[in-house]
């Protein structure tokens, strides 16, 4: 990692955090939308954003009611999603970029939340109904943040000279 | 628009007391241990001593109970959903019935058991973030993630990035504030219209914010490079982490205390 990538990643993390702070109370109808999740598409444009989004999410999760659990697992899922989004850029299909964050957060985060609120930490009596109700609300919130806000944003950025050098 | 006091990162409460004086590495290890061990508890009664322990930690750290409750508020919905599913969808002896919903004795027991575990879990988890600043926690995690360096995980770089990100939040928030005011003065509105319209209205804020921040990043990178900053080189700290005797005692105490109630049936 060179200094430029490091600082860019750090600033993206800073942006993620600032957006989380500024738009904290935004919710569209019943769905909580973390506006900052729109940044999870940036890895489609530059690798520096993989670390940036991971770190932003890592620190932002200190606010989470799940505290340390979310700090560990939530940000790890974001890191994996960001890397997958980065890999997806080879396909050159920009509309695919939101799929990893939507799926990993929607299915992954709800998975550990369900496990934490189930009887035993075992898969044999996994509470499917609870899982589906949590994951659907996360899926919808995440889809709004990525497809409605994130996608127009990165389409715009992909035309900037600044990012064109990167791709 | 956004008050400076809203810029407290995480739920950290500056203060002093036993938990504040402990090494962050120790706090991570002992609280993680407690969080894992309560999943092996079989009886509701095992939760009582743990609950009292956590409560006494909260009291000696002088964290206002109000903020603990505030922290629990967002999970209220989850708690209600969880309890609902366990109460009404566990097969067993029926206590009463409304339409197709059957409250069973087994469901009631299970629901209460899981509900209290969830609350304790969140209390332990937030106790860690209440008493440890993000920077301290990061230092602790850096040390604990050193073995990952062998797997090419850039721990030292990540810590540097976290430090920069935290440093830049006030600057970026101020910048965003300025952009919001500028766009509003041009007639932009952010809380009108349907979902798509509102989501779209954020774009005129995000684009200039990003462009100006990336410009800032370029400048910072140059400034760091001329000062011979080299990414990945081991950093030295002014305030170093120190493992004291009290840390060892605390860790042993937590391990013994946690394991003590493992066998209550």
């Amino acid at each position: 990692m060179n200094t430029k990538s490091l600082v860019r990643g750090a600033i993206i993390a800073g942006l993620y955090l600032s957006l989380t702070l500024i738009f904290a109370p935004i919710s569209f109808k019943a769905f909580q939308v973390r506006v900052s999740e729109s940044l999870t598409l940036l890895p489609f444009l530059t690798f520096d954003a993989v670390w940036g989004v991971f770190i932003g999410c890592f620190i932002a999760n200190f606010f989470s009611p799940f505290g340390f659990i979310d700090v560990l697992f939530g940000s790890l899922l974001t890191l994996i999603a960001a890397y997958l989004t980065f890999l997806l850029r080879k396909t050159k299909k920009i509309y695919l970029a939101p799929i990893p964050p939507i799926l990993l957060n929607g299915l992954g985060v709800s998975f550990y939340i369900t496990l934490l609120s189930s009887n035993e930490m075992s898969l044999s009596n996994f509470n499917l109904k609870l899982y589906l109700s949590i994951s659907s609300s996360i899926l919808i919130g995440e889809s709004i943040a990525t497809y409605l806000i994130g996608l127009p944003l990165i389409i715009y950025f992909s035309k900037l000279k600044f990012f064109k050098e990167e791709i | 628009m956004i008050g400076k006091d809203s810029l407290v990162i995480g739920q950290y409460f500056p203060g002093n007391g036993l938990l504040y004086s402990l090494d962050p590495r120790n706090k991570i290890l002992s609280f993680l241990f407690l969080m894992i061990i309560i999943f092996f508890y079989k009886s509701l009664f095992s939760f009582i001593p743990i609950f009292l322990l956590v409560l006494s930690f909260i009291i000696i750290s002088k964290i206002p109970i109000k903020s603990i409750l505030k922290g629990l508020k967002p999970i209220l919905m989850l708690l209600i959903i969880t309890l609902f599913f366990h109460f009404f969808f566990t097969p067993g002896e029926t206590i009463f019935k409304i339409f197709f919903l059957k409250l069973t004795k087994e469901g009631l027991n299970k629901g209460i058991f899981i509900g209290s575990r969830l609350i304790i879990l969140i209390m332990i988890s937030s106790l860690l973030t209440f008493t440890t600043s993000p920077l301290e926690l990061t230092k602790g995690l850096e040390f604990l993630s050193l073995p990952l360096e062998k797997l090419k995980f850039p721990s030292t770089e990540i810590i540097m990035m976290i430090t920069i990100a935290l440093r830049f939040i006030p600057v970026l928030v101020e910048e965003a504030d300025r952009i919001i005011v500028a766009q509003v003065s041009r007639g932009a509105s952010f809380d009108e219209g349907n979902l798509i319209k509102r989501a779209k209205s954020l774009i005129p804020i995000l684009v200039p914010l990003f462009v100006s921040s990336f410009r800032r990043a370029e400048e910072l990178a140059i400034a760091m490079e001329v000062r011979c900053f080299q990414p990945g080189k081991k950093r030295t700290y002014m305030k170093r982490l120190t493992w004291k005797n009290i840390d060892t005692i605390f860790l042993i105490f937590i391990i013994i205390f946690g394991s003590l109630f493992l066998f209550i049936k």
Side-chain angles (χ1 to χ4, degrees):
Chain A
M1 203 184 289
N2 60 33
T3 312
K4 209 167 156 183
S5 310
L6 186 142
V7 177
R8 267 193 200 172
I11 293 282
I12 291 171
L15 278 169
Y16 186 103
L17 282 166
S18 316
L19 293 183
T20 312
L21 286 171
I22 299 168
F23 298 113
I26 281 201
S27 57
F28 293 114
K29 303 273 155 59
F31 309 110
Q32 288 287 326
V33 179
R34 212 191 230 190
V35 173
S36 44
E37 276 295 302
S38 59
L39 298 195
T40 52
L41 307 189
L42 278 182
F44 197 86
L45 301 178
T46 162
F47 183 76
D48 306 335
V50 174
W51 293 120
V53 172
F54 164 63
I55 291 167
C57 184
F58 174 83
I59 308 173
N61 279 350
F62 280 93
F63 294 91
S64 150
F66 284 96
F68 200 62
I69 305 163
D70 238 5
V71 170
L72 275 184
F73 296 111
S75 39
L76 205 62
L77 281 172
T78 301
L79 176 65
I80 299 168
Y83 189 66
L84 291 177
T85 302
F86 166 72
L87 290 182
L88 271 178
R89 75 177 186 166
K90 283 200 189 101
T91 63
K92 300 241 186 245
K93 289 173 184 137
I94 212 161
Y95 57 87
L96 290 180
I99 291 173
I102 293 176
L103 287 186
L104 272 123
N105 282 311
L107 303 178
V109 173
S110 43
F111 181 74
Y112 71 76
I113 292 181
T114 312
L115 275 190
L116 292 177
S117 33
S118 316
N119 197 13
E120 281 158 43
M121 289 284 268
S122 70
L123 295 175
S124 53
N125 45 13
F126 189 72
N127 198 332
L128 199 66
K129 283 179 198 140
L130 179 62
Y131 176 66
L132 290 178
S133 67
I134 300 172
S135 70
S136 56
S137 86
I138 300 181
L139 279 172
I140 294 170
E142 192 77 11
S143 307
I144 294 174
T146 50
Y147 269 110
L148 287 185
I149 305 169
L151 200 60
L153 204 65
I154 59 161
I155 289 175
Y156 180 86
F157 283 144
S158 63
K159 290 175 192 145
L160 288 183
K161 201 178 126 218
F162 183 81
F163 278 113
K164 262 196 180 143
E165 296 160 11
E166 290 274 333
I167 298 178
Chain B
M1 283 176 94
I2 296 143
K4 288 273 182 290
D5 47 321
S6 65
L7 291 180
V8 185
I9 299 305
Q11 309 162 304
Y12 179 57
F13 264 101
N16 45 45
L18 174 70
L19 286 184
Y20 289 97
S21 61
L22 291 174
D23 191 301
R25 291 169 289 186
N26 181 16
K27 276 190 272 186
I28 294 171
L29 289 176
S30 13
F31 287 165
L32 212 55
F33 174 80
L34 276 185
M35 283 194 264
I36 294 166
I37 198 94
I38 60 169
F39 275 97
F40 294 96
Y41 285 176
K42 302 260 183 318
S43 155
L44 192 62
F45 295 109
S46 317
F47 291 150
I48 297 169
I50 297 291
F51 179 76
L52 292 176
L53 179 78
V54 174
L55 200 66
S56 56
F57 280 153
I58 292 171
I59 291 166
I60 58 167
S61 310
K62 297 198 186 74
I63 297 165
I65 299 288
K66 227 169 139 186
S67 12
I68 299 273
L69 292 178
K70 219 171 118 196
L72 285 173
K73 220 168 126 195
I75 64 134
L76 200 67
M77 206 55 218
L78 175 72
L79 201 66
I80 292 170
I81 298 172
T82 313
L83 288 181
F84 175 79
F85 278 111
H86 286 296
F87 280 173
F88 294 106
F89 291 95
T90 313
E93 200 184 313
T94 312
I95 297 176
F96 73 87
K97 209 171 154 180
I98 335 166
F99 304 117
F100 61 97
L101 295 172
K102 272 186 293 179
L103 179 69
T104 60
K105 200 175 159 197
E106 283 78 1
L108 197 65
N109 284 338
K110 216 166 137 186
I112 291 171
F113 180 77
I114 289 157
S116 23
R117 186 176 58 194
L118 193 65
I119 291 174
I120 293 177
L121 195 70
I122 283 156
M123 280 171 79
I124 299 173
S125 178
S126 39
L127 194 60
L128 183 60
T129 42
F130 270 132
T131 60
T132 324
S133 74
L135 218 56
E136 261 191 319
L137 255 182
T138 331
K139 269 194 217 169
L141 282 175
E142 180 192 22
F143 184 83
L144 296 171
S145 70
L146 277 185
L148 287 176
E149 287 264 274
K150 291 213 169 68
L151 299 169
K152 296 220 169 132
F153 185 81
S155 303
T156 41
E157 277 112 316
I158 298 247
I159 301 301
M160 189 67 208
M161 285 159 99
I162 293 175
T163 321
I164 296 174
L166 288 174
R167 168 65 190 80
F168 264 86
I169 292 173
V171 181
L172 294 175
V173 170
E174 214 179 293
E175 182 93 13
D177 237 10
R178 236 197 327 260
I179 294 169
I180 292 174
V181 172
Q183 300 291 30
V184 168
S185 74
R186 289 182 178 89
S189 79
F190 305 107
D191 35 20
E192 276 170 30
N194 59 15
L195 191 73
I196 297 174
K197 226 177 187 170
R198 275 201 279 170
K200 257 191 179 163
S201 71
L202 294 175
I203 307 284
I205 304 173
L206 298 180
V207 170
L209 181 64
F210 275 52
V211 174
S212 82
S213 338
F214 281 120
R215 212 168 283 149
R216 238 181 251 278
E218 292 312 276
E219 284 166 16
L220 180 63
I222 294 168
M224 282 164 78
E225 259 171 5
V226 295
R227 284 169 180 76
C228 297
F229 171 78
Q230 279 173 303
K233 274 262 167 82
K234 195 154 170 38
R235 246 186 93 188
T236 51
Y237 288 102
M238 196 168 86
K239 282 184 191 159
R240 267 179 254 166
L241 298 178
T242 43
W243 188 280
K244 294 177 284 287
N245 286 336
I246 182 89
D247 287 300
T248 318
I249 297 168
F250 185 82
L251 187 60
I252 293 171
F253 168 74
I254 289 290
I255 291 174
I256 293 173
F257 192 87
S259 324
L260 219 54
F261 308 102
L262 209 50
F263 305 104
I264 298 181
K265 281 268 157 71

